[in-house]
Amino acid sequence: MSELKLKARAKINLGLDVIRKREDGYHDLRMVMQTIGLCDELVLSQVETEGIFVSTNRPELPTDERNLVYRAARLLREEFGLPGGIRIHLEKKIPMAAGLAGGSTDAAAVLKGMNDLYSLGLSEAQLCERGVKLGADIPYCIMGGTALAEGIGERLTRLPEAPQCSVLLTKPWIDVSTAFVYGHLRADELQDHPDIDGQIAAVWSGDFSGMTEKMGNVLETVTIPAYPVVQEIKEEMLELGAAGAMMSGSGPTVFGLFDDREKAEAAYRRMCENGAGRDVFLTEFFQPDGREQDR
């Protein structure tokens, strides 16, 4: 095998709670994570010339060590002394700085892809051990599906498949820095916390209504006051029939969950027409078992 084509899928947070700020500056989290069909595409090729060669369809993306894709490839090349070089082309479709783990899922795909391309024999757990050195979301992106993430995001518990539904995504015309959001979060002053355990119970029982009722993201307490458009998009999605709407991660992307595909398609058309979002997508939950659920 000398070339491999991969899809790197985005994630949303169905629930995101911050427990406390740690002494090392990180935050202890409890999150219910879900892979969705929206994806970047990567092509990994072995080449004779020594080095790591990254190209992309987005000219604003760096192609050196500032890119997580590059750092993921370098990590495995250095550890295993891999011969020759690796060429990586990244076709970027997931919006950047969006709260959808676009960079993390690309890095996860490179780790998994190089494991296969070079027959390294690393297990999923061993890949996750390496991935967390590069980013807290990477272990989840390696595993995918429906999961509880704890700690800084690296402690993962696989959950049953969440009830299938349509997912409407809208990223407004702003970028939000994750560092800004966590830097302004007052974890010890939070009054309301999402019911993560209740949401997990709803997932286990296949209760779509229960799952959406328990949605919550404490990072909205920072992002929405700074960027009110996030709340405006949430409210519009609910008016258009979403069973639940919430910001993903540190934002600014908002997602709405629909159990009625026709309502979701009508809402997608409306969100495209009103110009509130720079990027608008309609997709579904994705489970990493080989079944394409994306339409």
Side-chain angles (χ1 to χ4, degrees):
M1 185 188 300
S2 60
E3 184 174 285
L4 194 60
K5 296 181 180 179
L6 302 164
K7 291 184 177 180
R9 299 191 181 277
K11 65 82 188 169
I12 55 175
N13 304 87
L14 299 176
L16 193 162
D17 194 15
V18 176
I19 309 304
R20 67 183 181 97
K21 186 173 183 179
R22 301 167 12 156
E23 292 182 359
D24 61 8
Y26 288 97
H27 291 79
D28 276 327
L29 311 171
R30 291 192 84 219
M31 305 180 287
V32 178
M33 313 278 273
Q34 176 61 53
T35 307
I36 58 176
L38 176 64
C39 64
D40 293 340
E41 297 179 350
L42 297 94
V43 179
L44 276 59
S45 308
Q46 292 175 316
V47 294
E48 292 183 3
T49 306
E50 190 79 19
I52 301 168
F53 309 96
V54 178
S55 60
T56 175
N57 64 323
R58 299 292 294 268
E60 67 271 33
L61 265 181
T63 55
D64 53 19
E65 63 275 358
R66 291 171 294 169
N67 193 315
L68 273 175
V69 160
Y70 185 102
R71 298 207 294 273
R74 182 175 63 188
L75 187 152
L76 291 184
R77 275 177 48 80
E78 291 180 351
E79 178 179 355
F80 290 94
L82 300 178
I86 180 83
R87 177 175 290 118
I88 304 169
H89 179 71
L90 169 61
E91 197 71 15
K92 195 77 183 151
K93 299 179 182 178
I94 301 171
M96 296 183 289
L100 299 173
S104 294
T105 194
D106 293 338
V110 169
L111 292 175
K112 292 192 291 184
M114 290 184 66
N115 188 42
D116 292 339
L117 199 61
Y118 292 93
S119 301
L120 301 180
L122 296 172
S123 67
E124 184 178 271
Q126 290 172 322
L127 287 171
C128 289
E129 289 172 5
R130 288 156 176 81
V132 75
K133 298 175 183 178
L134 301 171
D137 277 343
I138 294 176
Y140 166 73
C141 293
I142 289 169
M143 187 176 82
T146 312
L148 169 67
E150 298 176 284
I152 62 171
E154 86 288 4
R155 293 195 345 248
L156 301 170
T157 304
R158 195 182 299 277
L159 299 175
E161 293 185 17
Q164 185 55 270
C165 59
S166 296
V167 183
L168 177 61
L169 300 162
T170 299
K171 184 193 175 187
W173 294 84
I174 55 172
D175 292 331
V176 174
S177 162
T178 299
F180 166 82
V181 175
Y182 279 100
H184 287 79
L185 181 71
R186 299 294 176 259
D188 57 343
E189 298 176 8
L190 292 170
Q191 299 297 315
D192 298 315
H193 292 267
D195 184 0
I196 298 296
D197 290 333
Q199 188 169 71
I200 291 170
V203 169
W204 272 97
S205 61
D207 179 4
F208 175 76
S209 295
M211 182 182 75
T212 56
E213 287 170 3
K214 303 296 185 183
M215 284 167 50
N217 181 351
V218 298
L219 300 184
E220 290 183 346
T221 62
V222 176
T223 307
I224 287 177
Y227 304 98
V229 66
V230 172
Q231 181 64 29
E232 293 168 9
I233 293 173
K234 282 179 60 178
E235 291 172 357
E236 181 160 11
M237 286 190 179
L238 292 170
E239 290 173 3
L240 293 171
M246 193 176 85
M247 184 181 78
S248 183
S250 56
T253 301
V254 176
F255 67 89
L257 302 184
F258 294 77
D259 59 357
D260 183 314
R261 184 71 185 186
E262 289 186 3
K263 280 186 181 180
E265 290 173 347
Y268 169 74
R269 291 191 293 270
R270 177 69 177 273
M271 296 303 292
C272 288
E273 291 166 359
N274 69 17
R278 177 190 301 168
D279 301 287
V280 184
F281 303 94
L282 182 60
T283 185
E284 293 183 347
F285 288 172
F286 180 85
Q287 298 295 337
D289 58 2
R291 291 180 298 139
E292 281 291 337
Q293 298 173 340
D294 198 25
R295 289 203 295 266

